[in-house]
Amino acid sequence: MKNKIIFQNYIIGMFKKITIKQSLFKCLPIIIIITCTFKGQAQPGSPDLSFGIAGINTTQTGISSDYGRAMRLQTDEKMLVAGFSYNSSNNFDFLLVRYTTAGWPDSTFGNNGYISTSINTHDDYASCLAIQPDSKIILAGGSSYNGSNYEIAMVRYTCNGIIDSSFGAFGVVKTQIPGNPTSYANAITLQNDGKILIAARTFTGATNRFACLRYLQNGTIDSSFGSYGIVTTAFGGIDDEANAMAIQTDGKIIVSGWAYTGANDDYAMIRYKADGTADSTFGTNGKVTTDVGGNFDYVYAMAIQTDNKIVLSGYSILSSDDVSMARYLPNGALDTGFGVNGKVITTVGAGSDAAYAVCIQDNGKILLSGNSVNGLGNTDALLLRYNSDGLSDNSFGTSGIVRTDVNGNNDQSFGLATQSDGKILSAGSSSDGSYNKVLVIRYNTDISVNTSEHNTTQFDIFPNPASDYVIISNIENNYNQAVLINMQGQQIKEFQLSTKEFKLDISTIPSGLYLLNIKSSNSMMQQKLVIQ
């Protein structure tokens, strides 16, 4: 029971404490406060108004709170968000939500856009995901509580959101590391040969260690890696935690997080060869530790640049928590041309700031996302951009910083990606004061933006206001779908457009103000519609 309480506090409150309460409402109007100076809709860092409601969607899938913890883009640029959802048995289940490119739950996936999965009869937390080349999706557990211990858990789904029974035991793989009563996965990635790598924190009963595990494509542990598929690494202290992982182009594996080095927790990473042995050409015997801020330093995200330099990000405790970042040369040495001697610390506000995701844009600029405490004591979703030398990019938001307050409560970002047109996607959680919802945001950028994506005037609606029907006319040939959305962001009705002029029956829809979206496969137009 003690382990369960400790782990629940870690998962739900390791970043900022969130209270889970039930609510009678599934959606509330969204209030957005972005602290950047707008020079028009396409200002880099401004919300993309063609996505969701004014750039944002919050999604509740169950009776209570949902938490988004990781995000990946499919090849068709639909967005997958993994996390966990509170169920009717007062436990958490794995949660996977898929969004369309317009920012709405994809009704063709799972149960109206999402699937929740119970691994054991207790709490199950998904904290990371990967997409296979065949479009199957793997979620890895922050942990699955089996009644006495926490074990690593994975579930694989088909591209339609159905559990893939060919993986593990009826779609599920559970792993208990020998001699370690508590283990949970924090990162997952795939090798070119399809093998699955997991980075995890494992607790021996006295100390925490890095763990790296490798599985075959069918979910069987790969006995050719490490010791029966598992490698554990101690940095010499008592508090070592692996949170991020990446594979180099030469197949070597880097796992990063933090390690207790005798006085404080510091940035830490280790590089393994393909067989799981430490790579002695990297750092000292394969290991690197870095004191970034002179106190406690924590890594949550990692990215490898095209020049093979390694970027780590997280936060450092100075007078408060500040966003921190470091960049390393391919051999593990600090890149002294980056920031100040390889390190960057950014104070966003007077309270705690942290970064939990990192992404490198095509032009080499670096994006970080996380959260920042605002003046009211709540957290805002945070997005920062830096130039390739580590200096804040003043062309983005306000001095490189964008804060997003959705509902005046706690908002956090844990996932980050860029689309093929350069637009920026962020995923995490948002509280409305009663419960948490999955949060997705899309921001404009200044990199290869498709300016034709959103246009609000290229079709006609008549009559407007209307009561029984509306006629949509002047529809371009490639626009074949109409979606009616209320002002709370809920999809009310969907129509397939078969002609350039189409009559929509709205006689059963309640009076109010709505958004009518006309969509093609890669673009959208939008107008307001008043139903009387």
Side-chain angles (χ1 to χ4, degrees):
M1 185 64 184
K2 181 179 179 181
N3 279 344
K4 178 174 180 179
I5 294 170
I6 291 172
F7 188 73
Q8 284 180 330
N9 288 340
Y10 172 81
I11 286 290
I12 302 171
M14 67 177 171
F15 305 125
K16 305 295 170 190
K17 293 181 180 178
I18 302 170
T19 302
I20 303 172
K21 298 179 182 178
Q22 294 192 6
S23 173
L24 298 176
F25 301 99
K26 287 208 168 187
C27 294
L28 290 175
I30 296 173
I31 303 169
I32 308 165
I33 302 172
I34 308 278
T35 56
C36 60
T37 303
F38 292 98
K39 298 179 182 178
Q41 183 173 312
Q43 164 76 10
S46 64
D48 177 10
L49 301 182
S50 69
F51 184 85
I53 297 292
I56 293 175
N57 188 297
T58 59
T59 305
Q60 184 195 6
T61 66
I63 62 169
S64 185
S65 285
D66 301 321
Y67 297 82
R69 284 296 179 265
M71 180 255 289
R72 291 288 184 271
L73 289 186
Q74 296 183 162
T75 54
D76 60 2
E77 300 208 320
K78 290 184 177 181
M79 184 181 0
L80 290 165
V81 179
F84 40 97
S85 179
Y86 202 65
N87 62 32
S88 58
S89 300
N90 300 319
N91 296 310
F92 286 103
D93 292 333
F94 275 24
L95 176 65
L96 178 62
V97 186
R98 188 165 77 185
Y99 293 87
T100 67
T101 55
W104 306 108
D106 181 1
S107 61
T108 67
F109 183 82
N111 177 21
N112 292 318
Y114 74 92
I115 181 169
S116 58
T117 304
S118 177
I119 311 299
N120 288 310
T121 57
H122 298 273
D123 290 317
D124 307 310
Y125 304 94
S127 56
C128 48
L129 78 158
I131 304 173
Q132 297 183 169
D134 62 1
S135 299
K136 290 183 178 180
I137 305 152
I138 303 174
L139 264 62
S143 181
S144 179
Y145 185 67
N146 62 16
S148 57
N149 300 311
Y150 284 97
E151 54 194 357
I152 294 167
M154 287 192 294
V155 181
R156 189 165 73 185
Y157 305 89
T158 67
C159 61
N160 296 319
I162 300 170
I163 292 179
D164 178 12
S165 60
S166 69
F167 184 75
F170 304 103
V172 176
V173 173
K174 296 185 286 186
T175 306
Q176 184 75 54
I177 297 178
N180 294 254
T182 298
S183 303
Y184 43 90
N186 287 327
I188 183 172
T189 193
L190 304 176
Q191 296 185 168
N192 288 335
D193 60 4
K195 291 182 178 180
I196 305 159
L197 283 164
I198 291 282
R201 174 184 180 183
T202 187
F203 182 62
T204 66
T207 62
N208 292 308
R209 293 182 179 180
F210 279 30
C212 188
L213 303 88
R214 192 165 72 187
Y215 300 83
L216 304 177
Q217 293 185 53
N218 64 1
T220 303
I221 197 82
D222 180 7
S223 59
S224 69
F225 183 79
S227 176
Y228 302 100
I230 301 170
V231 176
T232 61
T233 302
F235 282 78
I238 60 172
D239 187 27
D240 304 334
E241 176 159 341
N243 281 314
M245 177 171 52
I247 302 176
Q248 296 184 165
T249 54
D250 61 3
K252 291 180 179 180
I253 305 155
I254 301 177
V255 177
S256 62
W258 67 77
Y260 186 77
T261 56
N264 302 309
D265 291 327
D266 291 333
Y267 275 24
M269 61 178 166
I270 182 169
R271 188 164 73 186
Y272 301 102
K273 297 177 182 178
D275 62 359
T277 57
D279 178 10
S280 60
T281 66
F282 186 78
T284 302
N285 298 320
K287 301 176 184 176
V288 173
T289 59
T290 305
D291 183 353
V292 178
N295 202 340
F296 291 87
D297 307 302
Y298 301 97
V299 169
Y300 284 96
M302 172 172 57
I304 298 178
Q305 299 183 167
T306 54
D307 59 4
N308 294 319
K309 291 181 179 180
I310 305 155
V311 177
L312 302 184
S313 65
Y315 71 91
S316 296
I317 301 177
L318 302 174
S319 57
S320 62
D321 300 349
D322 292 325
V323 171
S324 59
M325 179 170 51
R327 191 167 73 188
Y328 301 83
L329 302 175
N331 64 0
L334 278 167
D335 178 7
T336 57
F338 183 78
V340 179
N341 296 320
K343 309 171 189 178
V344 173
I345 294 177
T346 304
T347 301
V348 178
S352 296
D353 311 316
Y356 301 122
V358 60
C359 184
I360 312 298
Q361 292 187 293
D362 289 343
N363 62 357
K365 293 186 178 184
I366 302 167
L367 292 164
L368 302 182
S369 71
N371 57 247
S372 176
V373 174
N374 58 35
L376 300 176
N378 301 311
T379 57
D380 296 335
L382 182 64
L383 180 65
L384 306 98
R385 191 166 77 177
Y386 300 85
N387 295 316
S388 58
D389 59 3
L391 297 178
S392 293
D393 179 6
N394 293 330
S395 69
F396 187 81
T398 300
S399 302
I401 299 170
V402 174
R403 307 173 62 132
T404 306
D405 181 356
V406 178
N407 274 314
N409 293 286
N410 288 317
D411 307 306
Q412 302 165 303
S413 173
F414 300 106
L416 185 62
T418 57
Q419 296 183 165
S420 59
D421 62 2
K423 290 186 178 180
I424 303 160
L425 289 163
S426 169
S429 301
S430 177
S431 171
D432 63 10
S434 296
Y435 48 79
N436 263 58
K437 300 178 182 180
V438 175
L439 169 67
V440 290
I441 310 171
R442 189 162 72 189
Y443 299 92
N444 287 308
T445 186
D446 48 0
I447 301 173
S448 304
V449 175
N450 179 2
T451 57
S452 65
E453 179 177 349
H454 183 69
N455 189 306
T456 61
T457 61
Q458 289 185 351
F459 68 97
D460 296 325
I461 303 174
F462 180 82
N464 190 8
S467 56
D468 296 321
Y469 67 91
V470 293
I471 295 175
I472 306 174
S473 58
N474 293 328
I475 305 170
E476 295 182 11
N477 289 332
N478 59 327
Y479 287 85
N480 54 18
Q481 185 182 31
V483 178
L484 192 64
I485 298 164
N486 67 17
M487 298 312 291
Q488 286 75 45
Q490 296 169 306
Q491 181 172 311
I492 302 302
K493 199 164 185 178
E494 182 176 315
F495 311 86
Q496 295 301 315
L497 304 178
S498 56
T499 62
K500 291 185 178 182
E501 184 170 292
F502 197 83
K503 184 177 180 178
L504 305 183
D505 181 3
I506 58 171
S507 59
T508 61
I509 298 174
S511 300
L513 177 62
Y514 294 84
L515 296 174
L516 183 61
N517 293 340
I518 306 298
K519 300 191 292 185
S520 69
S521 61
N522 59 5
S523 61
M524 183 183 77
M525 299 183 291
Q526 185 180 84
Q527 288 201 55
K528 292 180 181 179
L529 171 63
V530 178
I531 298 180
Q532 297 178 328

